[in-house]
Every structure is written in structure tokens, then in C-alpha cells.
Amino acid sequence: MLRHIRYLTAVAEHQNFTRAAEALHVSQPTLSQQIKQLEHSLHVRLLDRSGRTVRLTDAGETYLRYARRALRELDAGTRAIHDVQDLSRGSLRLAMTPTFTAYLIGPLVERFSTRHPGITLSVQEMTQDRIEAALAEGTLDLGIAFAEGRSSEIETQALFVETLGLVVGNNHPRAGAQAPMALRELEQEGLVLLSSDFATRRHIDLHFRDHGIAPRIAIEADSISAIVEIIRRGQLATVLPEAITREQPRLHLVDLSPAIPHRTAALLRRKGAYVSAASQAFSELSSTWG
């Protein structure tokens, strides 16, 4: 039955038997036969094969929703069996939003790996929306993002408060300035910001709107490292966590008035998810940060 469910999931994702068979490394006739066996055992049609793409029927949508939930629980059970409580071995799947990869991931992972060298750590960078979706699907164990999440399936553990400010390079006229910069003056600056896909950008835009500010966005990027290099080498400015200026050379923090509201960095996990020894150890380490 597990094989049948995985096959149905692949067809639903690819909406095509050929591509699903290639992804599963089985022949198309074998895949079709297995799906028909599943439909026969359930006495219901799960797939609509009449169009150019293969789609789930209403019954298929309902069945797959429950089947995926069962697969998550079975995967968690497998991980639990292999989980070693003394942390001599194990694995941890972690993701965090881009701002944290710029200053948090290095020291945090280094400390965790030093304490638990037997744990295999997988680290990904993605938006908070994607982190929450991956946690809900069971493809991640933990995420580091912000407490202001939107999914009811996710629970959060507050870690520390993150402060945002204007960040400039050595060539910017404000480099080394002590006096705060009025928020209205940002309209005269060329800004390099993360794209609107990211929670940090939405947080910044909300502050601008609340104060009637319409700054000039010169560049949008999906990479913190790219933004840092642009700022470091030119006269543009950005808005980033102040902690980045402590980790990156030739960057300067300029206070804004009124300041951008603080955010609470948080550890995210799926409600009711199995908590492995590795997850628990990482959670405890993270709680001492900041």
C-alpha cells in the first residue's frame, strides 16, 4: 500500500504518467498498473486521465490528503526507530530565512557540530512561507524564522530579538555617522532590498507604509550575500539586521528615526511532530543564543 500511495503522489505532482515514472525510476506500464490496483482496491476512480494532463478526481484529492498525512507519520516512526538518544549518530533537517544565514548559521552550526559531531546536519535557505510548508509536510525538522508565522500547523519557540537598521558601506556619505537618520530622508537614497517574497522585506515595507514613505528601490535581490557585496562596493544603502554589520567588514549601521520595529526570531516546528534527540539538542542550544 505504501508503494501505491507514493506512486499516486508522484502522478499527482507531475500530472503526467511518463514524468512520474521517470522520477520514480519505474516503467510507465508498471506505474499505471499499480495505480489501477489501488483504484480497484478502493472501488473508486482516483485520477482523471481524460485531459492533456492527469489530475486527481475529488475522491483522489480527499484520499491523497489523508494518505500524505499517514506517510508523514510513518516517516517519523522510521526516524524514531533509528534515533539514538545519546546523539552518537542521527540527522537533523534545518532551514532558515536568508537574513539568518548571513550572521547566525555559521556560529550556531559550528557550536552544534562541535558538541555533536555524529549528527548529520542538512541546512537549507528559504522563505518563511516555504519553511512552514516544508515543516507541515514533514520534509524539515526545524526552521529558524520569525514568531509572526501564519500557519496554524506550526508552533514557535522565541529565541532572541532582531533589530533592523540602515546599512551602508565605506563609500557612503553616512558611513560612520553617529546621528540617527530621519526615515523621510530615505526617499533620497537608492536602496538595495530583498525581494517581496521574503518576510524581512514585507516587514520593512509595512514600516514605510505606516509612515508614508516611498523610498527609491534601485535593486531587488534574492541573496543577502549579493546585497552585502553591492553595499560594500558602492554608495547604495540597504536595510538589514544590525548583527550583520558585526559579522561583515566595511559595513556601517545607521540608526533610523523612527526605528523599524524589532522582530522576534523563533524556532519553528510542526505541531505534534516527533521530536528526535538531535532536534531537542538543537532546540536547547538555540534557546541560549542572543
Side-chain angles (χ1 to χ4, degrees), residues 117-155:
I119 302 299
T120 300
L121 190 61
S122 169
V123 181
Q124 300 181 63
E125 178 184 272
M126 58 182 72
T127 64
Q128 180 153 353
D129 288 342
R130 288 182 58 204
I131 289 175
E132 292 184 10
L135 288 170
E137 292 168 0
T139 57
L140 281 179
D141 299 311
L142 295 172
I144 298 180
F146 301 102
E148 300 80 13
R150 287 168 293 281
S151 174
S152 59
E153 296 183 75
I154 305 302
E155 61 183 18

PDB file of all heavy atoms in Angstrom, residues 117-155:
ATOM      1  N   PRO A 117      29.282  15.781  16.908  1.00  0.00           N
ATOM      2  CA  PRO A 117      29.878  15.511  15.590  1.00  0.00           C
ATOM      3  C   PRO A 117      29.250  14.334  14.863  1.00  0.00           C
ATOM      4  O   PRO A 117      29.406  14.210  13.649  1.00  0.00           O
ATOM      5  CB  PRO A 117      31.354  15.233  15.933  1.00  0.00           C
ATOM      6  CG  PRO A 117      31.330  14.783  17.368  1.00  0.00           C
ATOM      7  CD  PRO A 117      30.235  15.570  18.014  1.00  0.00           C
ATOM      8  N   GLY A 118      28.534  13.475  15.564  1.00  0.00           N
ATOM      9  CA  GLY A 118      27.914  12.326  14.914  1.00  0.00           C
ATOM     10  C   GLY A 118      26.602  12.635  14.221  1.00  0.00           C
ATOM     11  O   GLY A 118      26.057  11.782  13.512  1.00  0.00           O
ATOM     12  N   ILE A 119      26.080  13.829  14.395  1.00  0.00           N
ATOM     13  CA  ILE A 119      24.803  14.214  13.794  1.00  0.00           C
ATOM     14  C   ILE A 119      25.036  14.796  12.400  1.00  0.00           C
ATOM     15  O   ILE A 119      25.814  15.735  12.234  1.00  0.00           O
ATOM     16  CB  ILE A 119      24.059  15.239  14.665  1.00  0.00           C
ATOM     17  CG1 ILE A 119      23.816  14.692  16.065  1.00  0.00           C
ATOM     18  CG2 ILE A 119      22.742  15.645  14.011  1.00  0.00           C
ATOM     19  CD1 ILE A 119      22.971  13.445  16.097  1.00  0.00           C
ATOM     20  N   THR A 120      24.370  14.227  11.417  1.00  0.00           N
ATOM     21  CA  THR A 120      24.422  14.762  10.052  1.00  0.00           C
ATOM     22  C   THR A 120      23.408  15.887   9.931  1.00  0.00           C
ATOM     23  O   THR A 120      22.216  15.680  10.165  1.00  0.00           O
ATOM     24  CB  THR A 120      24.092  13.670   9.023  1.00  0.00           C
ATOM     25  OG1 THR A 120      25.036  12.610   9.143  1.00  0.00           O
ATOM     26  CG2 THR A 120      24.157  14.231   7.610  1.00  0.00           C
ATOM     27  N   LEU A 121      23.889  17.076   9.592  1.00  0.00           N
ATOM     28  CA  LEU A 121      23.034  18.260   9.553  1.00  0.00           C
ATOM     29  C   LEU A 121      22.814  18.700   8.110  1.00  0.00           C
ATOM     30  O   LEU A 121      23.766  18.893   7.356  1.00  0.00           O
ATOM     31  CB  LEU A 121      23.696  19.384  10.348  1.00  0.00           C
ATOM     32  CG  LEU A 121      22.873  20.633  10.645  1.00  0.00           C
ATOM     33  CD1 LEU A 121      21.643  20.291  11.481  1.00  0.00           C
ATOM     34  CD2 LEU A 121      23.731  21.662  11.378  1.00  0.00           C
ATOM     35  N   SER A 122      21.545  18.832   7.724  1.00  0.00           N
ATOM     36  CA  SER A 122      21.177  19.364   6.411  1.00  0.00           C
ATOM     37  C   SER A 122      20.603  20.765   6.622  1.00  0.00           C
ATOM     38  O   SER A 122      19.645  20.936   7.389  1.00  0.00           O
ATOM     39  CB  SER A 122      20.135  18.466   5.746  1.00  0.00           C
ATOM     40  OG  SER A 122      19.576  19.097   4.602  1.00  0.00           O
ATOM     41  N   VAL A 123      21.199  21.769   5.987  1.00  0.00           N
ATOM     42  CA  VAL A 123      20.789  23.157   6.179  1.00  0.00           C
ATOM     43  C   VAL A 123      20.357  23.745   4.840  1.00  0.00           C
ATOM     44  O   VAL A 123      21.089  23.655   3.851  1.00  0.00           O
ATOM     45  CB  VAL A 123      21.924  24.009   6.777  1.00  0.00           C
ATOM     46  CG1 VAL A 123      21.453  25.445   6.992  1.00  0.00           C
ATOM     47  CG2 VAL A 123      22.408  23.411   8.091  1.00  0.00           C
ATOM     48  N   GLN A 124      19.170  24.341   4.806  1.00  0.00           N
ATOM     49  CA  GLN A 124      18.669  24.989   3.601  1.00  0.00           C
ATOM     50  C   GLN A 124      18.282  26.424   3.908  1.00  0.00           C
ATOM     51  O   GLN A 124      17.954  26.767   5.042  1.00  0.00           O
ATOM     52  CB  GLN A 124      17.442  24.259   3.062  1.00  0.00           C
ATOM     53  CG  GLN A 124      17.679  22.808   2.691  1.00  0.00           C
ATOM     54  CD  GLN A 124      16.420  22.167   2.154  1.00  0.00           C
ATOM     55  OE1 GLN A 124      15.885  22.569   1.117  1.00  0.00           O
ATOM     56  NE2 GLN A 124      15.916  21.173   2.869  1.00  0.00           N
ATOM     57  N   GLU A 125      18.318  27.257   2.876  1.00  0.00           N
ATOM     58  CA  GLU A 125      17.872  28.640   2.978  1.00  0.00           C
ATOM     59  C   GLU A 125      16.599  28.792   2.166  1.00  0.00           C
ATOM     60  O   GLU A 125      16.554  28.405   1.002  1.00  0.00           O
ATOM     61  CB  GLU A 125      18.953  29.580   2.446  1.00  0.00           C
ATOM     62  CG  GLU A 125      18.555  31.054   2.470  1.00  0.00           C
ATOM     63  CD  GLU A 125      19.618  31.948   1.852  1.00  0.00           C
ATOM     64  OE1 GLU A 125      20.520  32.388   2.566  1.00  0.00           O
ATOM     65  OE2 GLU A 125      19.539  32.181   0.613  1.00  0.00           O
ATOM     66  N   MET A 126      15.548  29.322   2.767  1.00  0.00           N
ATOM     67  CA  MET A 126      14.287  29.504   2.043  1.00  0.00           C
ATOM     68  C   MET A 126      13.428  30.550   2.755  1.00  0.00           C
ATOM     69  O   MET A 126      13.723  30.954   3.880  1.00  0.00           O
ATOM     70  CB  MET A 126      13.534  28.182   1.913  1.00  0.00           C
ATOM     71  CG  MET A 126      13.203  27.485   3.218  1.00  0.00           C
ATOM     72  SD  MET A 126      12.347  25.877   2.982  1.00  0.00           S
ATOM     73  CE  MET A 126      13.658  24.837   2.344  1.00  0.00           C
ATOM     74  N   THR A 127      12.371  30.984   2.092  1.00  0.00           N
ATOM     75  CA  THR A 127      11.464  31.958   2.687  1.00  0.00           C
ATOM     76  C   THR A 127      10.678  31.317   3.830  1.00  0.00           C
ATOM     77  O   THR A 127      10.577  30.091   3.922  1.00  0.00           O
ATOM     78  CB  THR A 127      10.470  32.491   1.637  1.00  0.00           C
ATOM     79  OG1 THR A 127       9.633  31.406   1.193  1.00  0.00           O
ATOM     80  CG2 THR A 127      11.194  33.084   0.433  1.00  0.00           C
ATOM     81  N   GLN A 128      10.102  32.165   4.681  1.00  0.00           N
ATOM     82  CA  GLN A 128       9.332  31.628   5.802  1.00  0.00           C
ATOM     83  C   GLN A 128       8.119  30.837   5.325  1.00  0.00           C
ATOM     84  O   GLN A 128       7.774  29.811   5.916  1.00  0.00           O
ATOM     85  CB  GLN A 128       8.893  32.751   6.744  1.00  0.00           C
ATOM     86  CG  GLN A 128       8.076  32.261   7.941  1.00  0.00           C
ATOM     87  CD  GLN A 128       8.176  33.136   9.148  1.00  0.00           C
ATOM     88  OE1 GLN A 128       8.960  34.076   9.197  1.00  0.00           O
ATOM     89  NE2 GLN A 128       7.378  32.853  10.166  1.00  0.00           N
ATOM     90  N   ASP A 129       7.470  31.282   4.261  1.00  0.00           N
ATOM     91  CA  ASP A 129       6.324  30.531   3.731  1.00  0.00           C
ATOM     92  C   ASP A 129       6.735  29.110   3.359  1.00  0.00           C
ATOM     93  O   ASP A 129       6.028  28.137   3.663  1.00  0.00           O
ATOM     94  CB  ASP A 129       5.742  31.244   2.503  1.00  0.00           C
ATOM     95  CG  ASP A 129       5.007  32.523   2.869  1.00  0.00           C
ATOM     96  OD1 ASP A 129       4.648  32.676   4.053  1.00  0.00           O
ATOM     97  OD2 ASP A 129       4.795  33.360   1.975  1.00  0.00           O
ATOM     98  N   ARG A 130       7.870  28.981   2.687  1.00  0.00           N
ATOM     99  CA  ARG A 130       8.345  27.657   2.273  1.00  0.00           C
ATOM    100  C   ARG A 130       8.772  26.823   3.478  1.00  0.00           C
ATOM    101  O   ARG A 130       8.570  25.608   3.499  1.00  0.00           O
ATOM    102  CB  ARG A 130       9.505  27.803   1.292  1.00  0.00           C
ATOM    103  CG  ARG A 130       9.100  28.289  -0.098  1.00  0.00           C
ATOM    104  CD  ARG A 130      10.305  28.348  -1.019  1.00  0.00           C
ATOM    105  NE  ARG A 130      10.949  27.043  -1.139  1.00  0.00           N
ATOM    106  CZ  ARG A 130      12.231  26.866  -1.480  1.00  0.00           C
ATOM    107  NH1 ARG A 130      12.995  27.923  -1.714  1.00  0.00           N
ATOM    108  NH2 ARG A 130      12.735  25.651  -1.578  1.00  0.00           N
ATOM    109  N   ILE A 131       9.371  27.463   4.482  1.00  0.00           N
ATOM    110  CA  ILE A 131       9.762  26.736   5.688  1.00  0.00           C
ATOM    111  C   ILE A 131       8.528  26.140   6.366  1.00  0.00           C
ATOM    112  O   ILE A 131       8.504  24.963   6.736  1.00  0.00           O
ATOM    113  CB  ILE A 131      10.515  27.657   6.668  1.00  0.00           C
ATOM    114  CG1 ILE A 131      11.903  27.997   6.123  1.00  0.00           C
ATOM    115  CG2 ILE A 131      10.658  26.997   8.045  1.00  0.00           C
ATOM    116  CD1 ILE A 131      12.665  29.000   6.963  1.00  0.00           C
ATOM    117  N   GLU A 132       7.494  26.959   6.517  1.00  0.00           N
ATOM    118  CA  GLU A 132       6.281  26.481   7.176  1.00  0.00           C
ATOM    119  C   GLU A 132       5.634  25.349   6.382  1.00  0.00           C
ATOM    120  O   GLU A 132       5.154  24.373   6.965  1.00  0.00           O
ATOM    121  CB  GLU A 132       5.312  27.647   7.377  1.00  0.00           C
ATOM    122  CG  GLU A 132       5.818  28.678   8.385  1.00  0.00           C
ATOM    123  CD  GLU A 132       4.809  29.776   8.655  1.00  0.00           C
ATOM    124  OE1 GLU A 132       3.649  29.652   8.210  1.00  0.00           O
ATOM    125  OE2 GLU A 132       5.175  30.763   9.313  1.00  0.00           O
ATOM    126  N   ALA A 133       5.640  25.473   5.059  1.00  0.00           N
ATOM    127  CA  ALA A 133       5.056  24.414   4.220  1.00  0.00           C
ATOM    128  C   ALA A 133       5.863  23.125   4.346  1.00  0.00           C
ATOM    129  O   ALA A 133       5.288  22.031   4.455  1.00  0.00           O
ATOM    130  CB  ALA A 133       5.008  24.869   2.771  1.00  0.00           C
ATOM    131  N   ALA A 134       7.187  23.228   4.347  1.00  0.00           N
ATOM    132  CA  ALA A 134       8.039  22.042   4.454  1.00  0.00           C
ATOM    133  C   ALA A 134       7.914  21.387   5.825  1.00  0.00           C
ATOM    134  O   ALA A 134       7.921  20.152   5.941  1.00  0.00           O
ATOM    135  CB  ALA A 134       9.498  22.411   4.178  1.00  0.00           C
ATOM    136  N   LEU A 135       7.774  22.173   6.866  1.00  0.00           N
ATOM    137  CA  LEU A 135       7.561  21.618   8.202  1.00  0.00           C
ATOM    138  C   LEU A 135       6.227  20.873   8.251  1.00  0.00           C
ATOM    139  O   LEU A 135       6.138  19.769   8.807  1.00  0.00           O
ATOM    140  CB  LEU A 135       7.588  22.732   9.251  1.00  0.00           C
ATOM    141  CG  LEU A 135       8.948  23.347   9.562  1.00  0.00           C
ATOM    142  CD1 LEU A 135       8.772  24.607  10.425  1.00  0.00           C
ATOM    143  CD2 LEU A 135       9.870  22.361  10.281  1.00  0.00           C
ATOM    144  N   ALA A 136       5.196  21.482   7.684  1.00  0.00           N
ATOM    145  CA  ALA A 136       3.878  20.841   7.683  1.00  0.00           C
ATOM    146  C   ALA A 136       3.883  19.541   6.894  1.00  0.00           C
ATOM    147  O   ALA A 136       3.181  18.583   7.250  1.00  0.00           O
ATOM    148  CB  ALA A 136       2.832  21.802   7.111  1.00  0.00           C
ATOM    149  N   GLU A 137       4.706  19.489   5.835  1.00  0.00           N
ATOM    150  CA  GLU A 137       4.782  18.281   5.002  1.00  0.00           C
ATOM    151  C   GLU A 137       5.698  17.224   5.603  1.00  0.00           C
ATOM    152  O   GLU A 137       5.748  16.092   5.125  1.00  0.00           O
ATOM    153  CB  GLU A 137       5.277  18.649   3.604  1.00  0.00           C
ATOM    154  CG  GLU A 137       4.290  19.486   2.800  1.00  0.00           C
ATOM    155  CD  GLU A 137       4.912  20.068   1.545  1.00  0.00           C
ATOM    156  OE1 GLU A 137       6.116  19.817   1.310  1.00  0.00           O
ATOM    157  OE2 GLU A 137       4.207  20.784   0.809  1.00  0.00           O
ATOM    158  N   GLY A 138       6.456  17.591   6.633  1.00  0.00           N
ATOM    159  CA  GLY A 138       7.361  16.646   7.263  1.00  0.00           C
ATOM    160  C   GLY A 138       8.704  16.502   6.586  1.00  0.00           C
ATOM    161  O   GLY A 138       9.454  15.565   6.883  1.00  0.00           O
ATOM    162  N   THR A 139       9.050  17.416   5.665  1.00  0.00           N
ATOM    163  CA  THR A 139      10.344  17.337   4.980  1.00  0.00           C
ATOM    164  C   THR A 139      11.422  18.153   5.689  1.00  0.00           C
ATOM    165  O   THR A 139      12.576  18.156   5.260  1.00  0.00           O
ATOM    166  CB  THR A 139      10.217  17.809   3.521  1.00  0.00           C
ATOM    167  OG1 THR A 139       9.694  19.147   3.492  1.00  0.00           O
ATOM    168  CG2 THR A 139       9.294  16.885   2.743  1.00  0.00           C
ATOM    169  N   LEU A 140      11.060  18.857   6.760  1.00  0.00           N
ATOM    170  CA  LEU A 140      12.004  19.562   7.619  1.00  0.00           C
ATOM    171  C   LEU A 140      11.702  19.203   9.070  1.00  0.00           C
ATOM    172  O   LEU A 140      10.559  18.905   9.423  1.00  0.00           O
ATOM    173  CB  LEU A 140      11.873  21.082   7.460  1.00  0.00           C
ATOM    174  CG  LEU A 140      12.499  21.774   6.258  1.00  0.00           C
ATOM    175  CD1 LEU A 140      12.193  23.272   6.319  1.00  0.00           C
ATOM    176  CD2 LEU A 140      13.988  21.543   6.164  1.00  0.00           C
ATOM    177  N   ASP A 141      12.737  19.246   9.903  1.00  0.00           N
ATOM    178  CA  ASP A 141      12.549  19.036  11.340  1.00  0.00           C
ATOM    179  C   ASP A 141      12.349  20.360  12.071  1.00  0.00           C
ATOM    180  O   ASP A 141      11.479  20.479  12.931  1.00  0.00           O
ATOM    181  CB  ASP A 141      13.753  18.302  11.933  1.00  0.00           C
ATOM    182  CG  ASP A 141      13.960  16.935  11.312  1.00  0.00           C
ATOM    183  OD1 ASP A 141      12.968  16.185  11.232  1.00  0.00           O
ATOM    184  OD2 ASP A 141      15.089  16.628  10.897  1.00  0.00           O
ATOM    185  N   LEU A 142      13.184  21.351  11.720  1.00  0.00           N
ATOM    186  CA  LEU A 142      13.150  22.638  12.403  1.00  0.00           C
ATOM    187  C   LEU A 142      13.379  23.766  11.405  1.00  0.00           C
ATOM    188  O   LEU A 142      14.011  23.573  10.366  1.00  0.00           O
ATOM    189  CB  LEU A 142      14.240  22.710  13.480  1.00  0.00           C
ATOM    190  CG  LEU A 142      14.140  21.748  14.664  1.00  0.00           C
ATOM    191  CD1 LEU A 142      15.415  21.833  15.509  1.00  0.00           C
ATOM    192  CD2 LEU A 142      12.918  22.058  15.523  1.00  0.00           C
ATOM    193  N   GLY A 143      12.877  24.937  11.740  1.00  0.00           N
ATOM    194  CA  GLY A 143      13.143  26.129  10.943  1.00  0.00           C
ATOM    195  C   GLY A 143      13.476  27.279  11.860  1.00  0.00           C
ATOM    196  O   GLY A 143      13.044  27.313  13.020  1.00  0.00           O
ATOM    197  N   ILE A 144      14.261  28.215  11.377  1.00  0.00           N
ATOM    198  CA  ILE A 144      14.526  29.450  12.108  1.00  0.00           C
ATOM    199  C   ILE A 144      13.996  30.583  11.254  1.00  0.00           C
ATOM    200  O   ILE A 144      14.468  30.818  10.138  1.00  0.00           O
ATOM    201  CB  ILE A 144      16.023  29.636  12.414  1.00  0.00           C
ATOM    202  CG1 ILE A 144      16.530  28.505  13.307  1.00  0.00           C
ATOM    203  CG2 ILE A 144      16.259  30.988  13.090  1.00  0.00           C
ATOM    204  CD1 ILE A 144      18.002  28.600  13.665  1.00  0.00           C
ATOM    205  N   ALA A 145      12.999  31.278  11.767  1.00  0.00           N
ATOM    206  CA  ALA A 145      12.375  32.374  11.035  1.00  0.00           C
ATOM    207  C   ALA A 145      11.864  33.375  12.084  1.00  0.00           C
ATOM    208  O   ALA A 145      12.603  33.730  12.995  1.00  0.00           O
ATOM    209  CB  ALA A 145      11.270  31.863  10.131  1.00  0.00           C
ATOM    210  N   PHE A 146      10.592  33.766  11.970  1.00  0.00           N
ATOM    211  CA  PHE A 146      10.053  34.775  12.876  1.00  0.00           C
ATOM    212  C   PHE A 146       8.783  34.280  13.554  1.00  0.00           C
ATOM    213  O   PHE A 146       8.063  33.441  13.019  1.00  0.00           O
ATOM    214  CB  PHE A 146       9.791  36.079  12.116  1.00  0.00           C
ATOM    215  CG  PHE A 146      11.037  36.621  11.474  1.00  0.00           C
ATOM    216  CD1 PHE A 146      11.262  36.453  10.120  1.00  0.00           C
ATOM    217  CD2 PHE A 146      12.003  37.250  12.238  1.00  0.00           C
ATOM    218  CE1 PHE A 146      12.423  36.908   9.526  1.00  0.00           C
ATOM    219  CE2 PHE A 146      13.166  37.711  11.661  1.00  0.00           C
ATOM    220  CZ  PHE A 146      13.384  37.546  10.304  1.00  0.00           C
ATOM    221  N   ALA A 147       8.544  34.811  14.735  1.00  0.00           N
ATOM    222  CA  ALA A 147       7.421  34.350  15.549  1.00  0.00           C
ATOM    223  C   ALA A 147       6.081  34.692  14.916  1.00  0.00           C
ATOM    224  O   ALA A 147       5.074  34.063  15.228  1.00  0.00           O
ATOM    225  CB  ALA A 147       7.515  34.952  16.949  1.00  0.00           C
ATOM    226  N   GLU A 148       6.066  35.668  14.022  1.00  0.00           N
ATOM    227  CA  GLU A 148       4.810  36.096  13.408  1.00  0.00           C
ATOM    228  C   GLU A 148       4.450  35.197  12.230  1.00  0.00           C
ATOM    229  O   GLU A 148       4.273  35.645  11.103  1.00  0.00           O
ATOM    230  CB  GLU A 148       4.906  37.552  12.940  1.00  0.00           C
ATOM    231  CG  GLU A 148       5.192  38.551  14.038  1.00  0.00           C
ATOM    232  CD  GLU A 148       6.673  38.606  14.416  1.00  0.00           C
ATOM    233  OE1 GLU A 148       7.508  38.048  13.657  1.00  0.00           O
ATOM    234  OE2 GLU A 148       7.005  39.176  15.463  1.00  0.00           O
ATOM    235  N   GLY A 149       4.367  33.913  12.468  1.00  0.00           N
ATOM    236  CA  GLY A 149       4.032  32.963  11.413  1.00  0.00           C
ATOM    237  C   GLY A 149       2.550  32.995  11.083  1.00  0.00           C
ATOM    238  O   GLY A 149       1.748  33.593  11.793  1.00  0.00           O
ATOM    239  N   ARG A 150       2.192  32.316   9.998  1.00  0.00           N
ATOM    240  CA  ARG A 150       0.806  32.356   9.549  1.00  0.00           C
ATOM    241  C   ARG A 150       0.127  30.997   9.567  1.00  0.00           C
ATOM    242  O   ARG A 150      -1.078  30.901   9.471  1.00  0.00           O
ATOM    243  CB  ARG A 150       0.755  32.927   8.121  1.00  0.00           C
ATOM    244  CG  ARG A 150       1.007  34.430   8.080  1.00  0.00           C
ATOM    245  CD  ARG A 150       1.251  34.910   6.671  1.00  0.00           C
ATOM    246  NE  ARG A 150       2.497  34.390   6.130  1.00  0.00           N
ATOM    247  CZ  ARG A 150       3.696  34.898   6.437  1.00  0.00           C
ATOM    248  NH1 ARG A 150       3.771  35.921   7.264  1.00  0.00           N
ATOM    249  NH2 ARG A 150       4.787  34.404   5.913  1.00  0.00           N
ATOM    250  N   SER A 151       0.881  29.913   9.664  1.00  0.00           N
ATOM    251  CA  SER A 151       0.291  28.578   9.591  1.00  0.00           C
ATOM    252  C   SER A 151      -0.130  28.088  10.974  1.00  0.00           C
ATOM    253  O   SER A 151       0.654  28.137  11.924  1.00  0.00           O
ATOM    254  CB  SER A 151       1.291  27.589   8.982  1.00  0.00           C
ATOM    255  OG  SER A 151       0.784  26.278   9.043  1.00  0.00           O
ATOM    256  N   SER A 152      -1.361  27.597  11.067  1.00  0.00           N
ATOM    257  CA  SER A 152      -1.865  27.074  12.341  1.00  0.00           C
ATOM    258  C   SER A 152      -1.234  25.725  12.673  1.00  0.00           C
ATOM    259  O   SER A 152      -1.382  25.235  13.795  1.00  0.00           O
ATOM    260  CB  SER A 152      -3.389  26.930  12.268  1.00  0.00           C
ATOM    261  OG  SER A 152      -3.762  26.042  11.215  1.00  0.00           O
ATOM    262  N   GLU A 153      -0.527  25.122  11.701  1.00  0.00           N
ATOM    263  CA  GLU A 153       0.119  23.830  11.928  1.00  0.00           C
ATOM    264  C   GLU A 153       1.492  23.964  12.577  1.00  0.00           C
ATOM    265  O   GLU A 153       2.099  22.970  12.945  1.00  0.00           O
ATOM    266  CB  GLU A 153       0.279  23.076  10.602  1.00  0.00           C
ATOM    267  CG  GLU A 153      -1.012  22.699   9.917  1.00  0.00           C
ATOM    268  CD  GLU A 153      -0.756  21.900   8.656  1.00  0.00           C
ATOM    269  OE1 GLU A 153      -0.413  20.714   8.772  1.00  0.00           O
ATOM    270  OE2 GLU A 153      -0.893  22.473   7.554  1.00  0.00           O
ATOM    271  N   ILE A 154       1.965  25.209  12.709  1.00  0.00           N
ATOM    272  CA  ILE A 154       3.330  25.442  13.174  1.00  0.00           C
ATOM    273  C   ILE A 154       3.326  26.062  14.570  1.00  0.00           C
ATOM    274  O   ILE A 154       2.549  26.970  14.854  1.00  0.00           O
ATOM    275  CB  ILE A 154       4.080  26.379  12.203  1.00  0.00           C
ATOM    276  CG1 ILE A 154       4.035  25.819  10.783  1.00  0.00           C
ATOM    277  CG2 ILE A 154       5.521  26.586  12.654  1.00  0.00           C
ATOM    278  CD1 ILE A 154       4.623  24.430  10.629  1.00  0.00           C
ATOM    279  N   GLU A 155       4.213  25.560  15.436  1.00  0.00           N
ATOM    280  CA  GLU A 155       4.418  26.172  16.742  1.00  0.00           C
ATOM    281  C   GLU A 155       5.790  26.826  16.772  1.00  0.00           C
ATOM    282  O   GLU A 155       6.709  26.408  16.063  1.00  0.00           O
ATOM    283  CB  GLU A 155       4.293  25.134  17.859  1.00  0.00           C
ATOM    284  CG  GLU A 155       5.296  24.008  17.802  1.00  0.00           C
ATOM    285  CD  GLU A 155       5.064  22.988  18.909  1.00  0.00           C
ATOM    286  OE1 GLU A 155       3.956  22.976  19.471  1.00  0.00           O
ATOM    287  OE2 GLU A 155       5.992  22.208  19.195  1.00  0.00           O
TER     288      GLU A 155
END
